[in-house]
Amino acid sequence: MNKHKMITEKGVPSNSRVLMLFGQLEKLNRESMLVDPEIARQITAKILHLIQTQEKTRKEIVSKGSSGMEVILATLENTQDLQSILNILYILNELLTVGGGRRIGVFVSKGGTGILLQLVISASKESPPSEEVMLQLHSVLAKVGPKDRKFGVKARLNGALNVTVNLLKQNLQNYKLLLPCLLVLQVYSSNTVNAVSLGKNGVVELMFKIIGPYSKKNNSLLKVSLDTLGALLKSKTNAQRAVVHVPVLLYIYQDWHRNDTRHRHILIRKGILGCLKNITNIKLGRKAFIDADGMRILYNTSTECLPVRTLDPLINTSSLIMRKCFPKNRLPLPTIKSVFHHQLLRVPAEGPVAQLYNQPLGRGPIYQFYTKPPWVDDVVDESDNNEDAEAENDMENEVEEKDHHAGNDDIETDINKLRPKETHSRPFEELKIYERFFMELSEDFQVFNFDNPKKGVTATPAAPKSQRPIIVPTTQALPPKNPTAAPLQGECPHPAPVPALDLDTINITKDQDGCGDHTHSQPHPGAGLEQELVQGLERVALDGAGPQGGGGGVNKHNRQPPILAGGVAARLGGEGEEMLVEDWAEEEESSEEGVLHVPDTALLLPLHDPDLYVEMVKSTSSVPQFSEVAYPDYFGHVAPTSREHILERVYGVQRTKIFQDIERLIHPNDILDKVVYDLDIQSCPVVDGGESLKFNSQFESGNLRKAVQVRKFEYDLVLNSDINSNHYHQWFYFEVSGMRVGASYRFNIINCEKSNSQFNYGMQVLMYSVQEAISGRPRWVRTGTDICYYKNHFSRSSMAAGGQKGKSYYTMTFSMTFNHKDDVCYFAYHYPYTYSTLKMHLQKLEALRTPQTYLREDVLCETLGGNSCPLLTITAMPESTNNDQICQFRNRPLVFLSSRVHPGETNASWVMKGTLEFLMGSSPLAHSLREAYIFKIVPMLNPDGVVNGNHRCSLSGEDLNRQWQNPSPELHPTIYHTKSLLQYLAAIQRAPLVFCDYHGHSRKKNVFMYGCSLKETVWETNISATSCELHEDLGYRTLPKILSQMAPAFSMASCSFVVERSKEATARVVVWREIGVQRSYTMESTLCGCDQGKYKGLQIGTRELEEMGAQFCVALLRLKGLTSPLKLRNHAHLLDVESELMETRCKVSSTPSTYLLEDEEASFMEEVDYSAESGDEPNTADPHDNHLSDPESNNHRDSLT
């Protein structure tokens, strides 16, 4: 061979000895028919010696440009001499043992795999085959196989597969040859077709002849055998063959567990578990595991492993197997449909709601319109018994990571759909009726009284509502909390109810000996964010009349002690001493009235008034006809002054919770399984001597359907579906009383649907203590320990999973220790904000209006449930009736804001509250903002959903933020009329400068925006488009950029401006495309907290949310400066935005998932096994629950918003 072809590494002589030997070997290859084989033996032996003794020789052979590997392989392919073959195999073993994947890659690229496999066939034809050749061949193949993607196919096609199997069968006692054969077999089995073929050839049974109980010998062989068997059992066909061996595997595992006391053979024990894990992927395997008492065996062995941290891999795998084999249970419900039903006058033609109504009708007092007959079970599928259709994954977060990088197929690729519509879809004559909502555009103020401006602007009054009794919880005992609908059959006889007080007969006045007079000076609107809580309490007297009482008086025989719901003692008397129920009888004759202490929060909460709140509740319509008021909504919430940090996850907490769940099956006698609260059946009040907690959710925005006492201090909780729906379980708000001080209670919400949650990343639940409130601390606080979120063993029917079978629900669990005796506590998913609270706030805002503020409140429409949807107009009054002033007033640009289309995203309302308070404030910035814009605000797009405790839908059972393309005036009135307002503005050439819809996000941290960009959407796809087609003003990025510079909770990095197909019917996209608003946004606020900026590591609270709403206003003021005519002459700020956009584009090209709105959480110290299918939630199951939240995050296909 020519020496110039033998290029070697720098520093290695080109005339080295090995090059000379390779030259001789190449010459022999050309003259193989004429040369004595002894020469080839000598040359290959010399090369082997050099390779064994000189590292630089190895480097020469595989260096770039060297033909050494080709010469070796050519010699191996051509020679028939046994010793020469062995020498070359020794050479390859030496070369490929050191140097890692690069050397093997060179070998594979030169066709080495095929030559070795052909040599296997040739060697097998010898009689008998050379054991040493087979040994060396399989040793090299074991190194090469994992690096050659087509290794399994090549082996099957040339017949090497069967050669290895036969060799294995003939040498079961030859451990030296057995080991490399098993290693090669393991690589073969990674190919599914090969694994099935090997199973038919009896290899599965063969493996069980090799593995065995604890032994100190041949442990390496046993480890490889288990790994090979595990690879084979990934095939369901092979898993079926191994089902009969499940008891054997369990026995072997127990034996190794008992004898491996020093934990030196963890890999062997893990290999056994790996085999069990693959077998239990099939239904027969799970049954065999249960029948062999596998649950108890793995539970006991895992419990013994818990103290040793290095055994965590065994515990995690055991946990996975046990959870997989845990028998699937049905939710303890008669139906997954909501307890409450609202009959629709018009049923949608298609979709989930139509399916509900098209089910066969039955008879029932509550489900009088669509009750299922007894033979229809919608809770579980008939065939749902851990069907094999449900793929099992070791770690959900691993699956999410794969999906995260797989690309986003949801991105819109039709350029025509990415351009604004040229024509309006509705005739102007049809839209003229909405002119009355824009009086400010034609107002001339000629009859306006500038001396008393408040008389000049009037609101459209809401229709009067029918008054109904509202319970003030001052009865002696907590009444049973039951739905107002007719009871189902089988209910217990109900005792005579304790008379409740009617709010219409209650007079709430300040106590005469108490703190201060009846009037207060108006506080500064922003004082609630800056002042400390005043600890003095305002005492409120509750005067009521019983059934026999006269007007205003209290009948002594019917008067009830002023006990708060759940039995909290009220503070009585002028000196504020505490009086319990037992003392009431002694005082009854001498006491004329009871006094309940209510915290004086007027200075901190200028928009809250308990008296006014009660009046608002009276005019609120609900499907269950709620008749109670929750204490947090009555008392109000004052944000705590201390910071609430994101909870640090305790190592092993999820594993501990899962093991406690498994104990239910291991120790069934320890389970109480006692129903203590059930909206489906009006059961008798539980009389248990105080052994059980008492629950209630029958108040505005409440959601808890059922509570089951599992153990003494553990409760399973079931949430109610959205009305006219059979899913959307996420929002909860309920009351708990009857707790023991110091006891640790565990609460499990067992019918969650999303595959992941921020509860796994430091978010805590909210709790409100009535005892704390009456002590001067009325506030929601983040609480709960041992919080985690994981897949459970409750089956989710295909009706609730968008037609997919084999799905499971998820558990959100937390522990709580109560600090006060006889307390009443409320728990919520996020800070509650009811519809009645909004109405109260709007009335208080009207009272705070200054003469310079133009405020008008109209009723946009009435909802399906009979509640009014308010529309606010806020701007600055003109200084006079001068034509220039009036012209400036009318021509101010419009900003359109909306919020709370999803009832469970209460944080959106708190942000809106911050916006409204700032807009109505008296600061110079607020005044400048009002002078700059006309604000049109719909603060609550889904009042019915909020009132009735829904998470996602309105009473139509549909996600309103998926109805913007073609809303129905009968089914989606708030969306229909809101869109009509925008269409009217577009028709008169007054489209808003900014449209923003406030939302909440359940799976991401920080506050961020979604916008719409043709250019950025195209960049995320393979669309070919000209620069002319991609011409776009970058102004859509200006507002988010401003917010990122001034709002500490806002994250520009989390923003996305990509348009996705699943979001084409959302407000953001429709307003952008149909109304032509370039700055059309969804602003998402985290439900958890922040991981950047000033609030990094903190959970978000109402203070931060309201601050965000105020900062949004300030950002609009800065935007006004940037978009004014003078500023438009200087495009420097847009150049900055374009520069940043280009940088972002570079990042997108290297990380395609930049705009896939996945969680990017750091991994925990322990691997979190969700055992879930990420991203497999159908859009029909929860379109917003792109779910991870929310309005716009399409991560995992559970639509979140």
Side-chain angles (χ1 to χ4, degrees):
M1 96 182 265
N2 297 327
K3 287 190 177 182
H4 69 273
K5 292 183 180 180
M6 298 295 296
I7 305 172
T8 59
E9 291 184 352
K10 185 177 180 181
V12 179
S14 60
N15 57 350
S16 64
R17 186 178 176 189
V18 71
L19 296 182
M20 179 186 68
L21 292 173
F22 275 125
Q24 295 175 3
L25 197 56
E26 186 179 29
K27 184 178 179 180
L28 288 176
N29 288 337
R30 293 197 299 266
E31 303 172 357
S32 56
M33 302 301 295
L34 308 174
V35 180
D36 186 352
E38 183 62 28
I39 300 175
R41 293 176 200 163
Q42 293 176 2
I43 295 174
T44 53
K46 291 177 181 178
I47 294 174
L48 175 62
H49 175 73
L50 287 172
I51 288 175
Q52 290 174 335
T53 57
Q54 297 181 19
E55 172 62 24
K56 68 176 184 178
T57 303
R58 299 193 201 103
K59 292 181 179 180
E60 269 186 74
I61 297 175
V62 295
S63 62
K64 185 177 180 181
S66 172
S67 60
M69 187 65 74
E70 288 98 322
V71 175
I72 292 174
L73 292 176
T75 306
L76 184 63
E77 189 175 17
N78 295 329
T79 185
Q80 302 296 321
D81 180 59
L82 180 62
Q83 189 58 49
S84 297
I85 292 174
L86 283 173
N87 286 342
I88 294 175
L89 291 176
Y90 293 144
I91 291 171
L92 291 174
N93 259 315
E94 290 287 340
L95 284 174
L96 303 180
T97 300
V98 182
R102 194 184 70 82
R103 293 185 180 181
I104 296 176
V106 172
F107 177 85
V108 172
S109 67
K110 305 297 184 182
T113 305
I115 294 173
L116 289 179
L117 291 173
Q118 189 57 46
L119 190 57
V120 168
I121 299 298
S122 301
S124 67
K125 295 178 181 178
E126 299 291 332
S127 184
S130 169
E131 179 180 320
E132 184 64 19
V133 170
M134 285 298 189
L135 174 63
Q136 295 302 322
L137 269 174
H138 282 83
S139 296
V140 177
L141 286 171
K143 295 181 177 70
V144 172
K147 300 294 182 180
D148 189 344
R149 294 182 179 180
K150 297 183 179 180
F151 182 77
V153 177
K154 294 174 182 177
R156 182 174 69 252
L157 292 179
N158 83 337
L161 205 64
N162 294 329
V163 173
T164 302
V165 172
N166 293 332
L167 193 65
L168 196 66
K169 291 178 179 179
Q170 297 165 9
N171 293 273
L172 288 178
Q173 304 305 317
N174 186 346
Y175 297 140
K176 184 178 179 182
L177 181 57
L178 203 56
L179 184 61
C181 288
L182 286 172
L183 287 170
V184 173
L185 206 61
Q186 182 180 342
V187 184
Y188 287 161
S189 304
S190 61
N191 180 283
T192 306
V193 178
N194 286 354
V196 173
S197 176
L198 291 170
K200 291 179 180 178
N201 214 346
V203 176
V204 174
E205 290 75 13
L206 198 63
M207 291 297 100
F208 282 99
K209 294 180 181 179
I210 300 174
I211 63 176
Y214 176 78
S215 172
K216 294 183 179 180
K217 299 179 180 179
N218 302 314
N219 288 329
S220 297
L221 181 65
L222 181 58
K223 168 65 175 62
V224 174
S225 301
L226 288 168
D227 290 344
T228 304
L229 179 59
L232 287 165
L233 295 179
K234 289 180 180 179
S235 159
K236 289 184 179 180
T237 305
N238 290 338
Q240 291 174 355
R241 294 188 174 94
V243 164
V244 295
H245 299 289
V246 168
V248 175
L249 287 171
L250 287 169
Y251 168 77
I252 294 174
Y253 182 74
Q254 279 183 294
D255 191 54
W256 278 92
H257 173 78
R258 282 193 299 265
N259 291 286
D260 185 24
T261 54
R262 296 187 179 181
H263 312 303
R264 293 178 175 175
H265 304 294
I266 295 176
L267 293 179
I268 291 178
R269 293 157 68 180
K270 187 177 179 181
I272 302 171
L273 291 175
C275 294
L276 285 169
K277 180 171 72 71
N278 290 338
I279 294 175
T280 52
N281 278 339
I282 63 172
K283 185 175 178 181
L284 288 175
R286 292 188 285 272
K287 183 177 183 303
F289 180 83
I290 295 292
D291 293 343
D293 202 22
M295 296 290 287
R296 187 180 302 275
I297 291 171
L298 290 195
Y299 174 80
N300 291 336
T301 55
S302 298
T303 304
E304 293 170 8
C305 291
L306 284 174
V308 185
R309 188 71 170 266
T310 56
L311 299 182
D312 280 356
L314 303 182
I315 300 170
N316 292 339
T317 307
S318 297
S319 170
L320 175 67
I321 297 170
M322 288 187 285
R323 291 174 64 192
K324 188 171 18 178
C325 296
F326 201 111
K328 284 290 184 71
N329 293 344
R330 64 173 286 139
L331 281 177
L333 299 174
T335 175
I336 55 175
K337 298 168 186 171
S338 173
V339 173
F340 311 112
H341 172 67
H342 178 80
Q343 176 64 18
L344 298 178
L345 297 179
R346 175 183 157 230
V347 180
E350 56 185 12
V353 180
Q355 293 174 7
L356 285 178
Y357 275 81
N358 291 333
Q359 289 179 9
L361 297 181
R363 293 182 179 180
I366 292 182
Y367 305 99
Q368 50 188 309
F369 296 105
Y370 71 141
T371 301
K372 64 181 181 61
W375 61 87
V376 176
D377 188 354
D378 63 350
V379 180
V380 294
D381 298 322
E382 291 182 7
S383 61
D384 186 17
N385 183 18
N386 282 14
E387 290 294 339
D388 300 336
E390 181 176 3
E392 297 293 342
N393 302 300
D394 291 342
M395 296 292 162
E396 181 185 43
N397 49 358
E398 290 181 6
V399 180
E400 290 179 355
E401 187 67 19
K402 292 178 183 177
D403 292 342
H404 182 84
H405 293 292
N408 190 352
D409 296 331
D410 190 37
I411 296 177
E412 182 57 68
T413 57
D414 186 347
I415 291 186
N416 292 324
K417 291 184 178 181
L418 295 174
R419 293 196 182 96
K421 286 188 176 180
E422 298 295 334
T423 59
H424 300 297
S425 56
R426 295 175 64 183
F428 182 70
E429 291 300 320
E430 187 178 320
L431 295 170
K432 284 191 68 174
I433 60 172
Y434 294 95
E435 184 179 5
R436 65 189 181 92
F437 293 106
F438 298 95
M439 290 189 296
E440 67 279 359
L441 300 183
S442 58
E443 179 67 70
D444 58 11
F445 294 94
Q446 295 302 316
V447 296
F448 188 80
N449 184 359
F450 279 89
D451 295 328
N452 190 359
K454 287 195 175 185
K455 295 182 180 179
V457 180
T458 59
T460 304
K465 303 286 177 137
S466 60
Q467 302 293 303
R468 66 180 188 281
I470 303 293
I471 295 175
V472 172
T474 58
T475 53
Q476 189 166 7
L478 182 67
K481 308 301 190 292
N482 299 316
T484 57
L488 295 174
Q489 295 180 355
E491 67 171 282
C492 299
H494 197 62
V498 180
L501 298 181
D502 190 331
L503 286 188
D504 291 326
T505 67
I506 293 175
N507 178 31
I508 300 182
T509 61
K510 299 266 176 108
D511 183 66
Q512 297 303 317
D513 337 291
C515 36
D517 62 52
H518 299 273
T519 61
H520 293 282
S521 60
Q522 289 293 347
H524 189 285
L529 297 178
E530 301 168 1
Q531 302 179 31
E532 295 296 328
L533 175 64
V534 178
Q535 295 299 320
L537 300 178
E538 176 187 356
R539 289 170 291 177
V540 178
L542 301 178
D543 297 333
Q548 302 174 6
V554 179
N555 187 297
K556 292 183 179 181
H557 299 287
N558 293 290
R559 184 166 61 89
Q560 300 297 329
I563 304 299
L564 302 181
V568 176
R571 298 187 180 277
L572 304 174
E575 299 301 318
E577 66 270 18
E578 184 174 302
M579 180 173 288
L580 301 179
V581 179
E582 301 88 83
D583 304 324
W584 178 261
E586 299 175 7
E587 298 290 331
E588 186 172 6
E589 294 301 322
S590 59
S591 176
E592 291 301 325
E593 68 174 359
V595 179
L596 170 65
H597 278 256
V598 177
D600 184 1
T601 58
L603 292 178
L604 288 176
L605 299 176
L607 300 187
H608 188 82
D609 181 344
D611 188 8
L612 180 58
Y613 182 80
V614 170
E615 292 302 315
M616 296 299 101
V617 172
K618 291 179 184 180
S619 61
T620 297
S621 299
S622 62
V623 173
Q625 299 181 3
F626 293 133
S627 59
E628 300 179 35
V629 176
Y631 282 97
D633 305 322
Y634 179 75
F635 284 158
H637 159 73
V638 178
T641 55
S642 59
R643 299 264 178 103
E644 295 177 301
H645 291 269
I646 290 176
L647 187 67
E648 184 176 351
R649 188 185 180 98
V650 178
Y651 181 83
V653 60
Q654 178 173 284
R655 184 174 61 200
T656 302
K657 298 293 185 181
I658 291 171
F659 274 44
Q660 290 174 3
D661 292 348
I662 292 171
E663 286 174 6
R664 300 187 189 190
L665 189 66
I666 305 298
H667 306 296
N669 294 333
D670 297 341
I671 304 304
L672 300 177
D673 203 25
K674 179 169 68 174
V675 177
V676 296
Y677 180 72
D678 193 349
L679 291 183
D680 288 283
I681 301 177
Q682 290 186 299
S683 56
C684 298
V686 178
V687 181
D688 57 2
E691 291 299 317
S692 300
L693 293 176
K694 297 178 178 64
F695 293 86
N696 178 31
S697 62
Q698 289 297 282
F699 44 79
E700 188 174 346
S701 295
N703 191 318
L704 178 66
R705 181 171 184 167
K706 190 170 187 175
V708 180
Q709 187 176 15
V710 180
R711 299 182 179 94
K712 186 175 182 179
F713 298 113
E714 182 178 355
Y715 293 82
D716 281 353
L717 309 178
V718 183
L719 303 182
N720 193 25
S721 301
D722 285 3
I723 292 177
N724 272 330
S725 171
N726 57 17
H727 56 297
Y728 300 111
H729 308 116
Q730 188 166 336
W731 167 256
F732 58 87
Y733 183 18
F734 58 88
E735 168 196 297
V736 176
S737 60
M739 63 283 292
R740 290 189 179 183
V741 176
S744 179
Y745 289 86
R746 177 183 173 184
F747 298 97
N748 312 307
I749 298 176
I750 61 174
N751 63 332
C752 302
E753 294 172 326
K754 295 185 180 182
S755 58
N756 204 347
S757 168
Q758 281 292 321
F759 284 117
N760 275 328
Y761 305 107
M763 187 168 84
Q764 293 177 282
V765 298
L766 275 301
M767 188 193 77
Y768 192 106
S769 164
V770 175
Q771 287 282 22
E772 288 288 313
I774 62 178
S775 298
R777 294 175 294 276
R779 61 189 53 157
W780 287 97
V781 295
R782 298 276 188 173
T783 190
T785 57
D786 297 341
I787 301 175
C788 54
Y789 187 97
Y790 56 88
K791 186 178 179 182
N792 61 32
H793 54 274
F794 289 101
S795 260
R796 188 178 175 192
S797 73
S798 58
M799 291 184 183
Q804 298 184 66
K805 289 189 176 182
K807 299 296 180 184
S808 293
Y809 286 103
Y810 296 80
T811 291
M812 194 286 285
T813 179
F814 65 97
S815 298
M816 182 66 207
T817 302
F818 298 97
N819 298 323
H820 300 289
K821 183 181 179 181
D822 298 325
D823 199 358
V824 174
C825 292
Y826 290 78
F827 291 96
Y829 179 65
H830 199 67
Y831 300 93
Y833 190 102
T834 65
Y835 173 63
S836 297
T837 299
L838 172 68
K839 293 192 294 181
M840 174 187 66
H841 284 168
L842 294 183
Q843 283 210 16
K844 299 290 284 185
L845 281 172
E846 166 63 26
L848 296 175
R849 181 171 64 84
T850 63
Q852 294 76 31
T853 304
Y854 180 102
L855 170 65
R856 191 177 73 252
E857 179 182 345
D858 297 307
V859 175
L860 176 62
C861 62
E862 191 171 88
T863 65
L864 297 181
N867 294 297
S868 60
C869 178
L871 169 67
L872 303 180
T873 304
I874 301 175
T875 187
M877 293 291 295
E879 295 181 2
S880 68
T881 57
N882 179 282
N883 285 338
D884 291 341
Q885 292 289 335
I886 298 298
C887 183
Q888 189 275 339
F889 175 85
R890 294 177 180 176
N891 288 290
R892 292 169 187 167
L894 281 92
V895 172
F896 203 110
L897 305 178
S898 62
S899 179
R900 205 66 184 282
V901 70
H902 295 135
E905 296 164 14
T906 58
N907 48 355
S909 282
W910 288 100
V911 176
M912 179 59 76
K913 178 176 181 286
T915 295
L916 292 175
E917 284 195 72
F918 184 89
L919 282 174
M920 294 301 297
S922 57
S923 69
L925 282 178
H927 183 68
S928 298
L929 186 63
R930 291 193 296 267
E931 288 186 326
Y933 298 107
I934 296 174
F935 286 87
K936 307 296 286 192
I937 302 174
V938 184
M940 191 171 284
L941 280 167
N942 192 353
D944 290 341
V946 173
V947 170
N948 293 286
N950 286 4
H951 170 66
R952 186 85 177 170
C953 300
S954 68
L955 292 186
S956 70
E958 297 169 294
D959 181 349
L960 291 183
N961 201 36
R962 294 297 184 278
Q963 311 304 324
W964 278 79
Q965 274 187 327
N966 188 27
S968 162
E970 295 88 6
L971 295 175
H972 327 112
T974 60
I975 305 302
Y976 178 85
H977 293 294
T978 303
K979 182 178 180 181
S980 297
L981 294 178
L982 291 160
Q983 288 174 323
Y984 172 78
L985 288 174
I988 64 172
Q989 306 298 313
R990 292 296 301 275
L993 176 70
V994 173
F995 171 86
C996 191
D997 190 20
Y998 292 0
H999 282 261
H1001 205 296
S1002 69
R1003 295 198 192 183
K1004 294 189 73 175
K1005 292 184 171 68
N1006 311 312
V1007 181
F1008 51 94
M1009 278 181 161
Y1010 296 118
C1012 301
S1013 166
L1014 167 65
K1015 185 179 294 185
E1016 296 192 40
T1017 303
V1018 169
W1019 282 348
E1020 283 292 290
T1021 66
N1022 295 322
I1023 301 176
S1024 58
T1026 64
S1027 58
C1028 179
E1029 290 178 308
L1030 297 183
H1031 178 70
E1032 184 174 47
D1033 185 352
L1034 296 178
Y1036 64 89
R1037 273 184 165 256
T1038 308
L1039 184 59
K1041 183 65 175 176
I1042 294 171
L1043 282 170
S1044 70
Q1045 294 170 349
M1046 60 187 304
F1050 194 87
S1051 170
M1052 188 69 186
S1054 299
C1055 295
S1056 171
F1057 304 94
V1058 173
V1059 179
E1060 296 163 310
R1061 293 190 185 98
S1062 62
K1063 306 302 180 346
E1064 64 182 0
T1066 61
R1068 164 180 65 101
V1069 177
V1070 170
V1071 172
W1072 171 70
R1073 184 165 178 254
E1074 296 186 20
I1075 311 300
V1077 179
Q1078 180 196 32
R1079 297 178 177 86
S1080 178
Y1081 306 103
T1082 297
M1083 187 163 74
E1084 300 274 2
S1085 300
T1086 178
L1087 292 164
C1088 177
C1090 299
D1091 58 11
Q1092 52 88 47
K1094 173 183 174 183
Y1095 299 135
K1096 182 177 182 179
L1098 299 177
Q1099 296 187 78
I1100 203 161
T1102 56
R1103 189 189 309 275
E1104 292 75 31
L1105 292 169
E1106 291 183 50
E1107 177 192 73
M1108 187 65 234
Q1111 294 282 13
F1112 181 81
C1113 293
V1114 179
L1116 287 174
L1117 198 55
R1118 290 187 60 184
L1119 177 69
K1120 175 66 174 178
L1122 291 174
T1123 56
S1124 65
L1126 290 177
K1127 289 288 182 179
L1128 285 178
R1129 300 174 188 171
N1130 183 357
H1131 296 277
H1133 69 287
L1134 290 180
L1135 293 177
D1136 293 340
V1137 171
E1138 175 126 33
S1139 175
E1140 179 195 346
L1141 181 57
M1142 295 304 296
E1143 292 175 6
T1144 306
R1145 183 188 182 187
C1146 295
K1147 295 177 183 177
V1148 170
S1149 61
S1150 60
T1151 309
S1153 57
T1154 298
Y1155 292 118
L1156 301 186
L1157 306 172
E1158 307 269 1
D1159 287 328
E1160 295 176 359
E1161 300 290 348
S1163 58
F1164 296 115
M1165 187 163 36
E1166 67 171 327
E1167 290 180 318
V1168 182
D1169 173 18
Y1170 304 109
S1171 294
E1173 322 75 6
S1174 294
D1176 56 5
E1177 311 291 0
N1179 285 336
T1180 53
D1182 191 346
H1184 171 296
D1185 184 60
N1186 289 353
H1187 252 80
L1188 260 190
S1189 152
D1190 290 320
E1192 315 291 337
S1193 81
N1194 186 31
N1195 35 9
H1196 307 91
R1197 303 285 192 275
D1198 340 347
S1199 37
L1200 277 180
T1201 266

